[in-house]
């Protein structure tokens, strides 16, 4: 209220006073308003209202804004700036607002001003507005709705980055009303062509789920869809979503299990962590335990997992009691290389996977990597040491060779030191105990007293665990009793007490020694321990014990409670064993205890009195007093604090805290009988098949091989190749000035050529395609010999136009026979091959073997786009499999590639109707401008398909020569038909519908550049002549 | 995953907060302050804490606590690793990671944090990718931006996010193409009183600075790769080729990065470059003690030892020191009780020596323990394990890059017990 009053008065004055006064005035206003309670929502709102009134007067003094120091004033200025027309002012204002947010100050009253800028063209401004929106939308739900339409529009943007960031912000605005909009957006984004957008949609799933858990069922559907995604980019994020939304729906994983295992190496590091931990859980429910006692493992088995699956399959023939599921093995094999990751979280998650899933003798492969992590940051060490501590309890052998890595340095922080100590203690055995004890001796002297105390306890544990050194340890601890430091002494006493208990033999000397020290020890716990020892073994020190009791009687009132209790105990025990000497003392102590301030002590005294002093009231218990008080006590077990931590999965937060954290997923026990492994079998969608002529080192099509059987090498190579090929791509685009630099470089260069040569449009089909083939070769050459001038290559293509028909047809015929027979000798091919082509081939052979594959692939990677089955599949293929295949094609024979078959329609999507197509590379019968395509239609369903024909096509003007309608296709039968398509010399896909009687399926054929061309032959002389004519 | 991040300075002020899910009140940090209070030394704060509703995972580096609040189960290393990446990114962008620099660049910091995490899950952590989206600050650009109204934020998806080489940005161009590799080895050792080695091992890293145009494909091979026992790689290194041929084959990120880190197999005896003769004693009766340290070369492979420095954490009772050094300078910090003797170059003819008396707090009992000495040293042009790079080949690009390899041996955690 007060602030409001002053402010309304403000503008009245302002009109007249000079600037200096104004500043001062406004400053005082600010102070007052913050006095009212700046963070208070209502207070701030009134301030804003008041601020709006002042707006007209202050607008002229924009330059002075920076001078005001008070927050209130700043906010008003910021509002002003946000509403101005200048982009730079707005940006400046937003930067300051972000500054406010970062400091945790409330800037929510600026919401209306900020939200207006959500559609700004300036990308940085927009981003900052997004930051603001996400922060405050939850508080200002109604106003936040104003921005929604902007995001909805951005979701349709052609730029994937903008689509993705719109989805990110839209899903981060926690406003329940827009749940249906979010749901729609997520569903749409999940089928987006860009894997980046799909990844974002996976993140959005979690956000929506936390906003409205009722959407679970629908979200699970989306997750199911995204889990099928083969992009490495999506894999990690969707598994996070899975873990958050429906971790119990293990059935969704079955079909994707092998894919996830195989993709794992290429997934980004953060995704690897979540996938590995999810797969750990999965494996524990699906496979049987490899830890069976009778399981016989030999090294052969270990060898097999690097070899091909053929060897793996041999294993079952030797009748073994336990057989590891191949999928189980697959997981172990594919995670192993990740132990070399630079990301400590990845290494740890692989380590825990091995710990929980691998056969006992294989777990030790993780040791080295875990020890390596100890070199990392302090916090990393802490977590890793905790996990090693748990592991080392169960498996000493794993870490024993690395014992020295756990030696403590004086500069380590205390919690690291104690953890190392814990591990050293766990590792101690008969062989190394002397080394460890020598280390411990150094530690006991440490300046860090908590650590020294922990060392003494560790010595105690070693002493109980290893009977050979018990006496040595005990003697050492007794020596420590004369240490000057109190905590050390006290800890020693306590540990000695425990040790003596476990050693029922004669130790009266030590007890006597401790009795002597008793006067000097002030730590209550230690005093209490000595008293207890006296009482327990009073028969061994019959002379000393009563004397100690006498001393205690004197100081009883000043002792700590715990010492008092033990004094009462001692008195009672002595009374029973040596009542002659101690009767009076005991009564005195019991009297003191009776009036003690602590009710515990009073209770105990009363109880003891009734128990030991016979009176008429004391009942039957009295007879048993001796047996109660002097019963032999079981020795305490000294054990590790990490003993029970193995109930948690290693590497988890719960394990670290030793408390079950919220959201912790229990690791189930191994099933006794493995569930049906066939659920993981996947229908291999094999979009690209190749029939390579059997020359060279053509790779066999891997269609029938199971998914997991592609050995690692292939996988790796594939990714390597594709990565390096993409690099090639980039470099070539940057080097050739003509190219646009985008993926469609072939097309663009082709087109530019057409215009330059001028012969493009009118010439006949064969001619044109031959010129195209030349241009394709040139592409290849370009990658090899980039020094060549673009002008020279232009001349090549010009000359193509004038080449005589005969030679080109000759080439054709030979190429036909080549592709048709498939097993012909390479001889005719060589004869007809163009010189230039051969040169290319020869040149390429000079390079190092791995790299020449790379050099070839770029020309092709972009070219053979298979038909689009699903958008997600396509994008994968770019990254994963396609480059692999295509480079293999190149190796076989650069000029006459094997005929590739592309998938037109998968039988799953086609309700049983499957269609594949390939380019026979024959001149088309129907029209010269058409390219002939052969389509193989197969009926995979169990009923007859009728009236298969081609329906609508797009683009509308698409010229297609259809095949005759197939009236009837029996189940299992297949038929080959040929059709002609006029692609009008572009690589634009031809879309049309494949119809049966009941259904229609949209399909598309996308030609590779090479398929549009026609090869031809000419002599070098001809070539030169043609060239010179240009 | 990660819900919120708080940056807290040495004295316990929260100077930056960022939330990726619903806002978590900064009062959650009180639990952390409590633990910090208890731990006294900031290094002693446990990295993982539990509060009634949240879990706090923190790291401490460069005098800043990075504290993240978490609500559900997540691997703690995941968070710790990420927080360190955040710190590394700041270092990469601003040259240092300090409170002032973060406050000065708060907008960029915020933009970075926004891109690095989505809903608490890491989205982009590769420096090359981030730099394409958010340009690092530099004076020229900020001047240009203010004049032209340009921005620091890119509006296209960085190519790295989609490609198979996410660590490398596209369209890299340099006029001078150069690739430098620094082989840096650290000796971790504990020597006991008599000078015998209790424990010693060699850890190495290869730091690379690669400024090459286009998409170069590099292969780095060693003369003696067998020395390398345990290795970890930057994601760019093709593990398969390392396994089969023991060469590092990779498409490098642009700029500075750590190519690999390794450990030299433990069978090899570790050469200890210096020996230390020391005698520290505290007299029983009087309130004084004596200190005498001499350092000499041991196995230096004929190279000079440089940057020699001895650090001693004295017991609390030592008040002042009265020492004379034959070489270098020494300082004694009265508050932290740390004695630092900066020697510099080690001259084998004239061994550096530091001797004198320590004056103790009168009446205090004789300290139980003797302080251990931490040694720091550097040897240029030597990898103490004997590791040698044999060659670097480049494929995929046509130009000739300038190549350089440098070796350096340092003392890591090198401690002499007394």
């Amino acid at each position: 209220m007060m602030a409001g009053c002053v402010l309304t008065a403000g503008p009245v004055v302002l009109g007249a006073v000079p600037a200096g006064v104004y500043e001062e005035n406004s400053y005082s206003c600010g102070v007052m308003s913050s006095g009212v309670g700046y963070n208070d929502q209502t207070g701030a709102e009134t301030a804003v209202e008041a601020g709006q009134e002042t707006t007209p007067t202050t607008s002229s003094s924009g330059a002075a804004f920076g001078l005001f120091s008070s927050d209130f004033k700043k906010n008003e200025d910021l509002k002003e700036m946000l509403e101005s027309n200048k982009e730079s002012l707005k940006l400046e204002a937003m930067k300051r607002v972000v500054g406010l947010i970062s400091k945790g100050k409330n800037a929510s009253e600026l919401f209306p001003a900020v939200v207006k800028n959500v559609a700004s063209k300036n990308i940085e401004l927009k981003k900052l507005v997004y930051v603001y929106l996400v922060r405050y939308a939850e508080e200002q739900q109604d106003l936040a709705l104003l921005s929604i339409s902007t995001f909805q529009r951005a979701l349709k943007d052609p730029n994937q980055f903008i689509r993705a960031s719109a989805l990110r912000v839209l899903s981060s605005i926690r406003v329940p009303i827009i749940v249906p909009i979010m749901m729609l957006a997520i569903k749409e984004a999940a089928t987006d062509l860009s894997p980046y957008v799909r990844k974002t949609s996976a993140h959005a799933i979690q956000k929506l789920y936390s906003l409205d858990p009722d959407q679970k069922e629908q979200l699970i559907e989306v997750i199911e869809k995204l889990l099928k995604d083969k992009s490495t980019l999506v894999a990690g994020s969707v598994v996070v979503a899975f873990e958050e939304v429906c971790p119990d729906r293990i059935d969704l994983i079955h079909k994707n299990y092998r894919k996830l295992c195989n993709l794992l190496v290429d997934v980004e590091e953060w995704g690897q962590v979540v996938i590995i931990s999810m797969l750990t859980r999965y494996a524990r429910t699906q496979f049987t335990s490899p830890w069976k006692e009778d399981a016989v493992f030999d090294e052969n088995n270990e060898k097999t997992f690097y070899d091909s699956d053929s060897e793996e399959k041999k294993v079952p023939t030797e009748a073994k009691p336990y057989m590891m599921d191949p999928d189980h093995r697959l997981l172990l094999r594919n995670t192993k290389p990740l132990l070399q990751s630079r990301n400590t979280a990845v290494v740890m998650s692989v380590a825990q996977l091995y710990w929980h899933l691998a056969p006992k003798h294989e777990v030790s492969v993780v040791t080295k990597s875990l020890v390596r992590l100890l070199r990392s940051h302090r916090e990393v060490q802490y977590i890793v040491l905790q996990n090693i501590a748990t592991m080392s309890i169960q498996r000493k052998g794993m870490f024993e060779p690395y014992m020295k890595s756990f030696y403590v340095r004086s500069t380590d922080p205390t919690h690291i030191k104690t953890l190392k100590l814990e591990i050293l203690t766990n590792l101690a055995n008969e062989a190394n105990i002397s080394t460890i004890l020598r280390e411990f001796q150094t530690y006991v002297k440490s300046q860090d007293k908590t650590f020294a105390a922990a060392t003494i306890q560790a010595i105690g544990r070693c002493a109980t665990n290893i009977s050979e050194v018990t006496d040595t340890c005990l003697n050492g601890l007794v020596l420590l009793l004369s240490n000057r430091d109190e905590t050390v002494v006290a800890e020693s006493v306590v540990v000695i007490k425990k040790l003596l208990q476990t050693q029922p033999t004669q130790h009266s000397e030590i007890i006597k020694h401790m009795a002597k020290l008793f006067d000097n020890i002030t730590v209550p716990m230690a005093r209490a321990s000595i008293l207890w020892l006296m009482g327990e073994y009073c028969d061994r020190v019959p002379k000393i014990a009563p004397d100690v009791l006498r001393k205690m009687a004197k100081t009883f009132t000043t002792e700590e409670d715990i010492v008092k209790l033990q004094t009462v105990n001692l008195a009672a025990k002595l009374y029973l064993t040596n009542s002659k000497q101690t009767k009076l003392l005991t009564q005195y102590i019991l009297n003191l205890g009776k009036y003690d301030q602590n009710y515990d002590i009073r209770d105990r005294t009363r109880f003891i009195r009734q128990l030991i002093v016979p009176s008429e009231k004391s009942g039957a218990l009295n007879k048993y007093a001796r047996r109660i008080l002097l019963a032999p006590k079981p020795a305490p077990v000294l054990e590790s604090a990490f003993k029970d931590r193995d109930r948690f999965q290693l590497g988890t937060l719960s394990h670290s805290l030793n408390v079950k954290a919220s959201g912790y997923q229990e690791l189930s026990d191994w099933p006794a009988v493995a569930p049906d492994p066939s659920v993981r079998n996947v229908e291999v969608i094999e979009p690209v098949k190749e029939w390579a002529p059997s020359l060279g080192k053509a790779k066999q099509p891997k269609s029938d091989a199971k998914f997991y059987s592609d050995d690692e090498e292939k996988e790796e190579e594939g990714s390597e190749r594709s990565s390096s090929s993409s690099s090639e791509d980039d470099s070539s685009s940057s080097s050739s000035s003509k190219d646009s630099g985008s993926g469609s470089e072939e097309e663009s260069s082709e087109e530019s050529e057409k215009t330059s040569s001028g012969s493009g449009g009118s010439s006949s089909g064969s001619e044109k395609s031959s010129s195209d083939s030349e241009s394709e070769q040139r592409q290849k050459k370009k990658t090899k010999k980039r020094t060549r001038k673009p002008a020279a290559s232009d001349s090549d293509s010009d000359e193509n136009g004038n080449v005589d028909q005969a030679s080109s047809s000759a080439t054709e015929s030979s190429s036909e026979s080549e592709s048709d027979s498939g097993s012909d000798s390479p001889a005719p091919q060589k004869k007809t091959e163009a010189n230039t082509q051969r040169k290319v081939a020869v040149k390429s052979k000079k390079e190092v073997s791995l790299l020449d594959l790379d050099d070839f692939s770029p020309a092709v990677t972009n070219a053979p786009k298979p038909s689009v089955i699903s958008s997600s599949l396509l994008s994968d293929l770019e990254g994963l499999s396609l480059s692999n295949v295509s480079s293999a094609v190149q190796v076989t024979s650069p000029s006459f590639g094997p005929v590739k078959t592309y998938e037109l329609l998968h039988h799953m999507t086609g309700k049983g109707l499957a269609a594949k197509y390939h380019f026979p590379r024959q001149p088309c019968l129907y029209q010269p401008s058409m390219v002939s395509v052969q389509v193989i239609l197969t009926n995979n369903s169990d009923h007859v398909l009728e009236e298969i024909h081609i329906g609508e096509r797009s683009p509308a003007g698409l010229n297609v020569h259809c095949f005759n309608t197939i009236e009837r296709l029996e189940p299992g039968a297949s038929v080959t038909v040929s059709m002609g398509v006029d692609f009008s010399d572009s690589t634009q896909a031809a879309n049309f519908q494949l119809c049966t009687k009941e259904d229609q399926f949209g399909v598309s054929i996308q030609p590779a550049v090479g398929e549009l061309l026609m090869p031809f032959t000419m002599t070098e002389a001809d070539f030169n002549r043609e060239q010179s004519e240009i | 995953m990660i819900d919120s991040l708080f940056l807290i300075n040495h004295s316990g002020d929260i100077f930056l907060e960022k939330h990726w899910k619903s806002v978590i009140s900064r009062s959650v940090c009180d639990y952390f302050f409590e633990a910090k209070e208890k731990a006294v030394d900031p290094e002693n704060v446990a990295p993982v804490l539990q509060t009634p509703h949240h879990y706090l995972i923190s790291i401490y580096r460069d005098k800043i606590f990075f504290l993240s609040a978490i609500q559900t189960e997540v691997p703690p290393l995941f968070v710790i690793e990420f927080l360190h990446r955040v710190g590394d990114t700041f270092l990469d962008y601003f040259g240092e990671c300090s409170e002032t620099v973060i406050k000065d660049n708060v907008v960029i910091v915020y933009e970075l944090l926004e891109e690095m995490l989505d809903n608490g899950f890491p989205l982009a952590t590769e420096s090359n990718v981030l730099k394409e989206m958010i340009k690092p600050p530099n004076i020229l650009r900020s001047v240009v931006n203010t004049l032209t109204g340009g921005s620091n934020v890119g509006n296209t998806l960085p190519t790295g996010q989609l490609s198979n080489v996410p660590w490398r940005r596209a369209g890299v161009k340099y006029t001078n193409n150069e690739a430098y590799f620094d082989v840096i080895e650290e000796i971790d050792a504990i020597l006991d009183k008599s000078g015998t080695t209790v424990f010693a091992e060699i850890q190495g890293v290869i730091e690379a600075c690669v400024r090459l145009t286009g998409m170069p494909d590099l292969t780095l091979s060693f003369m003696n790769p067998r020395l390398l026992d345990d290795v970890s790689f930057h994601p760019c290194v093709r593990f398969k080729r390392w396994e089969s041929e023991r060469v590092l084959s990779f498409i490098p990120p642009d700029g500075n990065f750590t190519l690999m880190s390794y450990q030299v197999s433990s069978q090899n005896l570790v050469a200890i470059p210096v020996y230390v003769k020391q005698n520290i004693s505290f007299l029983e009766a009087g309130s004084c003690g004596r200190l005498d340290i001499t350092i000499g070369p041991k196995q230096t492979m004929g190279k000079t030892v440089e940057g020699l420095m001895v650090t001693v954490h004295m017991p609390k009772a030592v008040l002042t020191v009265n020492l004379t050094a034959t070489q270098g300078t020494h300082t004694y910090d009265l508050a932290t009780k740390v004695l630092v003797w900066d020697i510099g170059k080690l001259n084998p003819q004239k061994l550096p020596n530091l001797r004198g008396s320590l004056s103790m707090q009168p009446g205090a009992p004789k300290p139980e323990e003797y302080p251990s000495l931490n040694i720091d040293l550097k040897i240029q042009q030597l990898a103490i394990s004997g590791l040698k790079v044999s060659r670097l080949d480049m494929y995929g690009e046509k130009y000739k890059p300038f190549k350089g390899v440098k070796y350096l041996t340092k003392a890591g955690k090198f401690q002499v017990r007394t």
Side-chain angles (χ1 to χ4, degrees), chain A residues 453 456-457 460 474 477 481 486-501 514 521 523-530 532-533 562 636 638:
Chain A
I456 294 167
Q457 285 194 351
L474 208 48
L477 288 171
L481 289 177
E486 201 164 73
T487 38
V488 172
V489 177
E491 201 66 43
S492 309
V493 171
V494 175
V495 173
I496 289 175
K497 180 201 121 188
K498 287 182 185 163
L499 277 185
L500 289 183
Q501 248 181 299
M514 285 165 82
I521 294 173
V523 177
M525 190 62 208
R527 286 176 77 85
S529 294
I530 295 180
W532 185 87
L533 273 177
I562 184 173
L638 296 175

Side-chain angles (χ1 to χ4, degrees), chain A residues 596-612:
Chain A
D596 197 272
Q597 285 190 331
N598 187 307
Y599 56 79
D600 236 3
I601 295 169
R602 294 199 299 274
D603 269 2
R604 177 74 64 89
T605 317
R606 207 168 293 134
F607 160 68
I608 293 283
R609 187 190 291 276
Q610 293 303 319
L611 191 61
I612 58 169

Side-chain angles (χ1 to χ4, degrees), chain B residues 2-6 55-59 66-70 79-80 83:
Chain B
I2 301 168
D3 285 41
S4 299
L5 173 72
F6 299 94
Y55 305 98
L56 303 178
I57 298 184
S58 63
I59 63 161
F66 292 69
L67 176 75
S68 62
I70 283 152
V79 182
I80 289 170
L83 293 178

Side-chain angles (χ1 to χ4, degrees), chain A residues 102-103 127 168 207 269 340 342 344 375 379 409 414 439 445 484 652-654 662 851, chain B residues 17 26 44 60 71 73 81 85 114-115 118 126 188 203 231 366 369 372 395 413 417:
Chain A
S102 76
K103 286 193 204 98
K127 283 247 155 150
R168 263 179 75 186
K207 298 181 205 167
E269 44 195 351
Q340 255 62 49
R342 67 166 169 173
T344 56
R375 284 276 299 165
E379 297 85 7
R409 289 161 211 282
T414 312
E439 264 305 291
K445 284 190 267 174
R484 210 172 291 112
T652 58
L653 186 62
S654 307
S662 68
L851 280 145
Chain B
E17 63 178 64
R26 54 165 65 190
N44 272 340
Y60 178 69
Q71 270 174 323
E73 170 69 50
E81 178 82 22
R85 289 285 171 87
E114 186 74 28
E115 286 307 328
D118 182 18
E126 282 297 337
D188 282 4
Q203 321 262 2
V231 286
K366 179 188 146 191
E369 70 286 329
S372 52
Y395 304 97
K413 297 170 181 162
R417 289 176 177 168

Side-chain angles (χ1 to χ4, degrees), chain A residues 178-193:
Chain A
I178 61 161
V179 164
I181 299 178
M182 277 164 78
M183 194 67 223
L184 258 179
I186 289 173
K187 277 186 179 161
E188 209 152 283
T191 54
D192 199 287
L193 274 176

